[in-house]
Amino acid sequence: MKEQTLAIHAGYEKDTQHTMAVPIYMSTAYDFGSADFAASSFNLEQGTDHVYTRVGNPTTAVLERRFAQLEGGSGALAISSGMGAIFYSILNVAGAGDNIIISSKLYGGTITLFTQTLKKLGIEGRFFNIDNPQEIDNLVDDNTKAIFFESISNPSIDVANIEEIVTIADKHGILTIVDNTVATPFLCKPFSFGVDVVVHSASKYTTGQGLAIGGLMVERVGLVDKIKNNSRYPYFNEPETSYHGLIFADCPASSVLFTFRTRMILLRDTGAVLSPFNAWLFIQGLETLALRMRQHSDSALKIANFLLSHSKVKKVNYPLLKNDKNYENAIKYLSKGASGLLSFEVEDFAEAKKILDGVEIFSIVANIGDSKSIINHSASTTHQQLSKAELLQAGINEGLIRLSVGLEDSDDLIEDLKIALG
Ligand SMILES: *Cc1c(COP(=O)(O)O)cnc(C)c1O
């Protein structure tokens, strides 16, 4: 089936009430019916949708199945936020003494996750230049557990050369984890280029109207073959004492071993579970995601071309502009559009401030992916916690303005920017 059909129907068998809309099962727990069934549920023999909502819920399961199909993966796991999904994707493979090789161009929260929180836990983040993936080779050692990058980076809007990174990772038997939040499964399909695990913030385009925080983790078909008997991944190959010596790489759920282990170990023990109500909101969002991504992308390209022609604009970053340094990767990996995210540079902070205070339709908000257009000054808001050196490394100039182009008429948005630019 084609993706727009999957987005409407995948993963939902109508329940006993035959409801067209997916029901919201607001329930903490489920009646096992018999002692034997209860025991087998806890022994992981009955699936995970009807034990306790921290590890599974029937509404959330629809979102997981649908999202897995849209990415072309074998399984997905919903988590309470995008940051939660990223954190779990790392904790699922790494512990104290291990390292992760990470792109120099990442979301601000992801950078601080690596430089602050994971560092305190003894997990080292080693930066590589996203424009020069060959650097990865020299950073790899026996304790490297994953290579982490964003398909389209937020906010620097770089497009990764996915296949070059995957080739190096595969040579060393290392997992690749991609944050596909900005591209969404409709603009980029990382699994078709060999990526192993995809993570998302559903808080952006998936919800689409700025309604709810949530995250997803998806794994590719056949990931078990890369992990099984791979000495880098003892968590999956050694007996798990909390499940009577179960070996994840050999268990009946091994076709979804990455998300299954996250659910049964990390969600069990640390509990960053998505609310079924938010799962339901994301299911509504998925129905129109493809249509919206097309519109966001078309408008953003028009606005990028307008900004390019304006005398006060020093630089425009949009991957589908012919002169953008990401153009080649964009044509290859983002064939259907490059999202509504674009950025541009004006002279300095003062000039940027004038524009932010001058627009009327755009709102000053620390978010992206809303139907309402957003304008943002990265250096003073979302990336404020970064040092000057980290800002530079993340490609953030003090005159950099970030736009998340919404679903308003692009003529009105251009007029709004024209007036604010003066
Ligand atoms: C917003 C965002 C995140 C974090 O997601 P939350 O749902 O806000 O926790 C991670 N990565 C990228 C690229 C993002 O834009």
Side-chain angles (χ1 to χ4, degrees):
M1 254 186 267
K2 299 240 165 78
E3 59 187 7
Q4 184 53 35
T5 311
L6 294 173
I8 306 284
H9 294 289
Y12 177 53
E13 304 283 337
K14 290 186 187 68
D15 75 356
T16 53
Q17 305 305 314
H18 313 287
T19 61
M20 283 297 283
V22 176
I24 308 173
Y25 288 101
M26 293 303 292
S27 182
T28 307
Y30 309 83
D31 184 354
F32 293 120
S34 75
D36 278 348
F37 193 86
S40 62
S41 293
F42 272 86
N43 210 17
L44 309 183
E45 287 165 24
Q46 303 294 347
T48 52
D49 298 348
H50 303 94
V51 181
Y52 189 67
T53 283
R54 177 158 21 86
V55 293
N57 170 280
T59 304
T60 308
V62 174
L63 172 69
E64 291 168 341
R65 288 192 292 265
R66 193 167 291 183
F67 212 95
Q69 290 206 36
L70 289 172
E71 278 287 9
S74 64
L77 176 69
I79 297 148
S80 62
S81 69
M83 288 318 303
I86 295 168
F87 186 47
Y88 281 180
S89 74
I90 302 303
L91 287 191
N92 207 25
V93 290
D98 294 332
N99 67 78
I100 308 291
I101 298 177
I102 55 177
S103 164
S104 53
K105 301 282 175 66
L106 292 171
Y107 177 70
T110 308
I111 294 178
T112 49
L113 169 67
F114 280 101
T115 58
Q116 308 294 324
T117 300
L118 286 171
K119 188 176 167 199
K120 289 191 181 82
L121 296 178
I123 299 170
E124 183 195 352
R126 298 180 174 176
F127 286 103
F128 74 97
N129 181 347
I130 193 70
D131 297 324
N132 185 17
Q134 293 304 323
E135 286 181 13
I136 293 169
D137 246 336
N138 291 328
L139 297 170
V140 169
D141 65 20
D142 289 347
N143 297 324
T144 302
K145 302 295 178 179
I147 299 168
F148 185 96
F149 60 103
E150 295 174 5
S151 46
I152 303 178
S153 63
N154 176 12
S156 71
I157 329 202
D158 286 291
V159 183
N161 187 333
I162 299 176
E163 286 157 298
E164 195 178 346
I165 297 169
V166 164
T167 301
I168 300 169
D170 285 347
K171 189 175 77 181
H172 297 283
I174 298 171
L175 296 192
T176 45
I177 306 174
V178 168
D179 182 336
N180 201 31
T181 297
V182 177
T184 80
F186 290 106
L187 300 183
C188 181
K189 290 262 193 306
F191 293 142
S192 63
F193 304 107
V195 163
D196 298 311
V197 175
V198 169
V199 289
H200 277 271
S201 167
S203 327
K204 312 296 170 54
Y205 285 116
T206 301
T207 176
Q209 293 166 297
L211 300 178
I213 301 283
L216 284 132
M217 173 194 289
V218 197
E219 68 187 284
R220 76 165 163 85
V221 174
L223 183 56
V224 62
D225 298 335
K226 188 170 185 178
I227 289 179
K228 194 174 158 118
N229 299 324
N230 182 337
S231 59
R232 285 188 196 277
Y233 301 107
Y235 299 173
F236 294 89
N237 288 298
E238 290 174 4
E240 172 57 48
T241 49
S242 65
Y243 288 110
H244 305 294
L246 170 115
I247 294 173
F248 279 97
D250 291 332
C251 79
S254 66
S255 63
V256 289
L257 86 170
F258 197 89
T259 47
F260 187 64
R261 185 181 183 278
T262 306
R263 191 192 296 279
M264 300 323 296
I265 302 287
L266 298 173
L267 268 185
R268 179 195 65 185
D269 296 351
T270 67
V273 63
L274 185 71
S275 158
F277 182 73
N278 282 9
W280 180 84
L281 287 173
F282 298 142
I283 290 166
Q284 311 316 307
L286 284 181
E287 291 198 357
T288 56
L289 183 57
L291 305 173
R292 289 186 284 110
M293 291 317 289
R294 230 169 278 144
Q295 173 76 22
H296 283 294
S297 301
D298 287 353
S299 290
L301 185 58
K302 277 189 201 151
I303 291 171
N305 276 311
F306 156 72
L307 289 168
L308 208 54
S309 68
H310 199 285
S311 60
K312 286 197 181 153
V313 175
K314 287 167 51 185
K315 189 172 180 226
V316 182
N317 302 304
Y318 193 68
L320 286 172
L321 291 177
K322 290 225 164 54
N323 291 325
D324 195 278
K325 75 174 172 64
N326 295 292
Y327 185 71
E328 236 175 79
N329 286 339
I331 288 295
K332 195 164 176 191
Y333 299 116
L334 310 171
S335 53
K336 287 190 242 160
S339 90
L341 201 54
L342 70 93
S343 64
F344 64 102
E345 282 175 27
V346 292
E347 190 58 37
D348 52 22
F349 195 162
E351 188 69 29
K353 193 165 174 292
K354 216 179 76 190
I355 295 163
L356 259 70
D357 289 332
V359 285
E360 300 229 319
I361 300 174
F362 286 84
S363 303
I364 306 172
V365 173
N367 191 20
I368 59 166
D370 200 320
S371 53
K372 282 80 73 182
S373 285
I374 288 169
I375 191 164
N376 190 276
H377 182 238
S378 304
S380 63
T381 56
T382 50
H383 288 62
Q384 195 190 73
Q385 282 99 337
L386 305 190
S387 70
K388 269 217 156 68
E390 283 170 336
L391 274 179
L392 264 182
Q393 195 180 34
I396 294 159
N397 172 293
E398 66 165 295
L400 184 82
I401 293 174
R402 180 168 75 144
L403 299 183
S404 170
V405 176
L407 299 176
E408 303 93 340
D409 193 300
S410 59
D411 291 344
D412 290 333
L413 295 175
I414 288 173
E415 189 59 26
D416 199 27
L417 287 168
K418 199 183 273 177
I419 292 167
L421 276 157

